[in-house]
Amino acid sequence: DAGVIQSPRHEVTEMGQEVTLRCKPISGHNSLFWYRQTMMRGLELLIYFNNNVPIDDSGMPEDRFSAKMPNASFSTLKIQPSEPRDSAVYFCASSKDRGFGNTEAFFGQGTRLTVV
Amino acid sequence: DAKTTQPPSMDCAEGRAANLPCNHSTISGNEYVYWYRQIHSQGPQYIIHGLKNNETNEMASLIITEDRKSSTLILPHATLRDTAVYYCIVRVYSGGYNKLIFGAGTRLAVHP
């Protein structure tokens, strides 16, 4: 398996533009997570999907952020309009679980977003 | 959510064992302890997890105290490639679902 695939790896955009980050989870995994990492705040959980349904979006910073998972093999995180403070590395992770038991989450390589 | 406390940084000589401590005094009976590491610019990588018993795999050993309020990750023979930030996480189980909440971690530097 190729692992969790994120695209693009790097994105530079101007303030006010729309940005869409993409994630392909590992086949067969039923949970998907979006994280954001900055020097100041570390790794923050933004949103969590289970079986394509958003379960917990309490970490989404504000209405400018939205996430979708139209099917089991694809998810997007959109920022509109983007602001310089959104500059960060965004990670997607997936796991196969529900309830107790093994929850080994696999992370993608991340998308480094720079908003100028 | 159960929180974890880790030292911000540690050093270890190459070839020696690296022992990374973690306190999780508010952990609940059904919450697992997970360890991940993040090598510079890469996504976090799963290392090991446990509930009550000590665990060992090809990467590391996890020692959990009997009261489950603390644990130690052991890298038996650290190499330069083990230089990374190590995260101790208590997996939150809520409403039938799991999520991993990362703290600040321990920055481990392995030196020759």
Side-chain angles (χ1 to χ4, degrees):
Chain A
D1 199 315
V4 176
I5 300 173
Q6 293 187 245
S7 63
R9 290 294 309 277
H10 302 273
E11 177 79 35
V12 180
T13 190
E14 292 185 347
M15 182 174 62
Q17 296 298 306
E18 175 182 303
V19 176
T20 299
L21 311 181
R22 297 172 176 79
C23 175
K24 176 179 170 55
I26 293 173
S27 178
H29 283 191
N30 60 347
S31 292
L32 184 139
F33 310 82
W34 281 99
Y35 287 85
R36 175 174 70 175
Q37 186 171 36
T38 61
M39 288 292 292
M40 292 296 294
R41 302 176 68 88
L43 268 164
E44 303 173 275
L45 177 62
L46 300 179
I47 188 168
Y48 161 38
F49 291 87
N50 185 268
N51 292 327
N52 312 336
V53 176
I55 301 300
D56 185 347
D57 65 354
S58 59
M60 295 286 265
E62 48 195 276
D63 292 345
R64 298 184 298 106
F65 286 69
S66 63
K68 294 182 179 180
M69 192 165 186
N71 57 62
S73 60
F74 184 65
S75 176
T76 60
L77 178 67
K78 183 181 292 186
I79 308 172
Q80 180 184 21
S82 59
E83 297 182 4
R85 59 192 169 120
D86 301 330
S87 297
V89 181
Y90 290 81
F91 288 103
C92 176
S94 71
S95 69
K96 183 176 181 180
D97 82 298
R98 179 160 189 242
F100 295 116
N102 290 336
T103 308
E104 181 179 343
F106 294 84
F107 283 75
Q109 289 300 300
T111 295
R112 181 173 297 277
L113 173 65
T114 303
V115 183
V116 297
Chain B
D1 298 350
K3 295 183 179 179
T4 62
T5 304
Q6 299 177 255
S9 63
M10 292 183 64
D11 287 331
C12 179
E14 188 177 20
R16 304 297 293 269
N19 298 291
L20 291 86
C22 179
N23 287 320
H24 32 78
S25 58
T26 61
I27 193 170
S28 299
N30 59 3
E31 292 179 328
Y32 284 73
V33 178
Y34 276 72
W35 283 83
Y36 279 74
R37 73 179 182 183
Q38 186 175 25
I39 297 171
H40 182 62
S41 298
Q42 297 182 18
Q45 176 191 22
Y46 167 82
I47 301 173
I48 198 168
H49 74 279
L51 181 63
K52 296 180 182 178
N53 301 320
N54 298 337
E55 302 288 345
T56 296
N57 63 20
E58 66 278 4
M59 290 182 69
S61 295
L62 174 61
I63 308 298
I64 303 174
T65 58
E66 190 171 347
D67 62 8
R68 302 209 328 118
K69 292 185 177 181
S70 66
S71 61
T72 301
L73 178 74
I74 301 172
L75 307 178
H77 306 286
T79 70
L80 298 179
R81 289 175 294 180
D82 292 323
T83 293
V85 178
Y86 287 77
Y87 296 97
C88 170
I89 302 161
V90 173
R91 189 184 71 189
V92 175
Y93 178 70
S94 176
Y97 300 97
N98 298 280
K99 56 184 180 181
L100 296 171
I101 307 298
F102 286 78
T106 295
R107 187 172 297 276
L108 175 68
V110 181
H111 53 83

